Amino acid sequence: MQDDEYERARKRVEELKGFYIHLSVFVIVNFTLFLINLLSSPGIWWFYWITAFWGIGVIWHAFGVFIGDRLLGKEWEERKIKEYMEKKKK
């Protein structure tokens, strides 16, 4: 039982770490692209296309890490099983 809890916690930390790395790279790269765009062709803005589509990916990743598993994931399944078992006892 203790090993299962440790494994779940370790996996959760890895998911969070992966998201924070993804978000950091997104910010750094897109800021750099903004500067390149500003210096090379200030009248024509092209960097925002990359930012927009990559931003969708970051949002998707955030959904998976922070919301997805809780919505219909393992934790939700376990809660529902406990609810049904408690109803059966009554």
Side-chain angles (χ1 to χ4, degrees):
M1 187 65 141
Q2 194 77 314
D3 290 337
D4 290 341
E5 290 178 24
Y6 175 80
E7 239 353 90
R8 273 188 259 173
R10 188 185 62 74
K11 184 181 177 199
R12 180 75 179 136
V13 169
E14 284 181 11
E15 289 173 350
L16 287 169
K17 180 181 174 184
F19 172 72
Y20 291 138
I21 289 170
H22 187 186
L23 183 62
S24 299
V25 171
F26 170 78
V27 169
I28 292 166
V29 169
N30 282 287
F31 181 72
T32 303
L33 290 175
F34 169 74
L35 290 177
I36 291 170
N37 190 172
L38 183 66
L39 297 173
S40 67
S41 53
I44 303 168
W45 297 107
W46 49 262
F47 82 94
Y48 64 85
W49 290 106
I50 299 164
T51 303
F53 288 108
W54 193 354
I56 291 169
V58 170
I59 291 169
W60 189 265
H61 192 171
F63 179 80
V65 170
F66 295 107
I67 298 170
D69 194 38
R70 280 145 198 79
L71 193 59
L72 292 174
K74 187 90 169 151
E75 293 175 8
W76 176 82
E77 287 177 8
E78 290 176 9
R79 261 194 333 268
K80 284 297 180 187
I81 289 170
K82 287 178 184 177
E83 284 178 26
Y84 285 122
M85 290 174 66
E86 287 176 11
K87 284 181 183 177
K88 281 256 186 191
K89 289 179 182 178
K90 292 180 181 179

